[in-house]
Amino acid sequence: AQSVSQHNHHVILSEAASLELGCNYSYGGTVNLFWYVQYPGQHLQLLLKYFSGDPLVKGIKGFEAEFIKSKFSFNLRKPSVQWSDTAEYFCAVNSPAGGTSYGKLTFGQGTILTVHP
Amino acid sequence: DGGITQSPKYLFRKEGQNVTLSCEQNLNHDAMYWYRQDPGQGLRLIYYSQIVNDFQKGDIAEGYSVSREKKESFPLTVTSAQKNPTAFYLCASSFAVGGDQPQHFGDGTRLSIL
């Protein structure tokens, strides 16, 4: 079974600081990777996704993530955070075909990001 | 606008009572999902459905039941067998199960025990 681990439960930053949220997964096969964001009072929405190709993917609102296969990692980054980035961030993984994990999107525990103005 | 509608937003359950959470989507998606969100545990999959009249257990299906009689609807029943039902429940849908299909989420239902 696949699992996803997010290293930090709560990250507190000041505006303009750089952000990196860690995400590691345990599945050894081909995976699709996602970052979702949940702003206060809003529904969960897709931030970015990786399926294949360039391991550096860019998402909405200036976020990017890098897939490092050898490290089973998919860390989320943003060079300069804003107060409006305050939210909870979830890393998720599914396997594209076959196996017992097919069809299941496995989420990490979530990281709460608080940005102070 | 297309989207996923969950109702009610807040729900209270008495001991020994079954309650049903509604999820409707107008995105023409084949696949639908139910997740439970608890603080510090992320989202855990309860049930999912790839197509009408078909559904599979997720990782924490005990104490829950679902039906998929219509493409647009995937109601979740929290039965009295679920001993710790207090949580935030999220419904999602996608064009298909797995692969490169991102899931779209509803606003959630918060269930509490009286």
Side-chain angles (χ1 to χ4, degrees):
Chain A
Q2 58 197 15
S3 66
V4 180
S5 177
Q6 292 182 237
H7 309 307
N8 307 99
H9 178 61
H10 194 180
V11 173
I12 301 172
L13 296 172
S14 298
E15 275 195 319
S18 64
L19 169 72
E20 181 160 1
L21 301 182
C23 173
N24 285 91
Y25 64 94
S26 66
Y27 187 66
T30 303
V31 292
N32 297 314
L33 298 156
F34 306 82
W35 275 97
Y36 283 86
V37 59
Q38 190 171 33
Y39 296 104
Q42 296 187 27
H43 61 266
L44 210 66
Q45 55 188 286
L46 183 68
L47 198 56
L48 49 78
K49 59 190 178 186
Y50 171 80
F51 301 143
S52 64
D54 188 344
L56 184 64
V57 293
K58 296 190 184 299
I60 60 172
K61 302 186 181 185
F63 285 92
E64 65 179 29
E66 185 175 14
F67 170 52
I68 303 179
K69 189 175 182 179
S70 61
K71 294 185 178 180
F72 297 89
S73 71
F74 190 55
N75 292 354
L76 181 71
R77 300 196 292 248
K78 186 171 184 178
S80 176
V81 295
Q82 301 172 317
W83 175 79
S84 58
D85 293 325
T86 295
E88 189 163 14
Y89 294 80
F90 294 93
C91 181
V93 59
N94 70 12
S95 76
T100 57
S101 296
Y102 177 69
K104 297 181 182 180
L105 192 61
T106 301
F107 283 83
Q109 305 93 320
T111 297
I112 298 169
L113 172 65
T114 301
V115 180
H116 291 302
Chain B
D1 284 341
I4 299 176
T5 302
Q6 289 188 242
S7 61
K9 191 170 182 178
Y10 299 95
L11 186 59
F12 298 92
R13 194 191 89 167
K14 295 179 181 179
E15 294 286 346
Q17 185 182 43
N18 293 354
V19 291
T20 298
L21 285 60
S22 171
C23 177
E24 303 276 333
Q25 54 99 358
N26 61 4
L27 299 167
N28 200 31
H29 286 169
D30 282 316
M32 296 188 74
Y33 314 80
W34 274 105
Y35 293 92
R36 171 180 170 140
Q37 185 177 9
D38 295 281
Q41 297 193 52
L43 279 70
R44 293 181 289 167
L45 183 65
I46 304 172
Y47 268 98
Y48 65 103
S49 168
Q50 299 189 56
I51 200 166
V52 175
N53 293 322
D54 176 74
F55 48 83
Q56 286 83 39
K57 293 182 179 180
D59 298 317
I60 55 166
E62 186 174 350
Y64 300 97
S65 66
V66 293
S67 63
R68 186 86 187 275
E69 297 176 2
K70 298 187 300 182
K71 186 175 184 177
E72 303 80 22
S73 178
F74 191 41
L76 173 74
T77 297
V78 184
T79 74
S80 57
Q82 173 48 246
K83 297 306 178 188
N84 184 24
T86 298
F88 190 54
Y89 291 87
L90 285 168
C91 179
S93 70
S94 64
F95 279 110
V97 166
D100 60 357
Q101 303 297 326
Q103 294 180 16
H104 299 256
F105 287 82
D107 288 336
T109 293
R110 190 166 297 280
L111 175 62
S112 301
I113 299 302
L114 288 177

